Amino acid sequence: GRLREISVHTRRGRTVVTGELADESGSLAVEFHGAHDGIEAGRKLRLSGRVRLDSDNHAVLMSDPDYRILQEPADSEPHNG
């Protein structure tokens, strides 16, 4: 899916990146703890890991999944001209 809107904040002294990953089948919340190179809004990712229901907002959530970047954000593609 494609990673939509992300936010970066600090929780207990660690960086936490949160966002939403969506594709044609639906969407889920995702969070990464610590430094994660390449996590940017607009990137297409493949995630692998456990899914759970977030007790705070009842969203489907993957926390610290393994991931692979499949595609760069659309606005970072080279421009001719």
Side-chain angles (χ1 to χ4, degrees):
R2 191 163 304 276
L3 190 58
R4 294 195 259 184
E5 305 175 12
I6 64 167
S7 64
V8 180
H9 57 278
T10 303
R11 185 186 307 156
R12 297 184 195 136
R14 290 184 64 191
T15 300
V16 179
V17 178
T18 58
E20 180 183 36
L21 193 79
D23 66 11
E24 62 279 349
S25 66
S27 64
L28 62 91
V30 61
E31 65 182 12
F32 301 92
H33 297 86
H36 287 278
D37 294 334
I39 299 297
E40 293 180 22
R43 287 217 163 133
K44 194 169 185 180
L45 304 176
R46 176 170 291 146
L47 303 181
S48 175
R50 289 185 174 212
V51 176
R52 66 178 174 87
L53 193 60
D54 187 330
S55 59
D56 292 334
N57 61 13
H58 304 290
V60 177
L61 172 70
M62 287 186 92
S63 184
D64 290 320
D66 291 330
Y67 67 94
R68 188 172 80 175
I69 297 171
L70 301 177
Q71 185 180 20
E72 298 296 320
D75 63 356
S76 71
E77 293 177 343
H79 297 282
N80 294 326

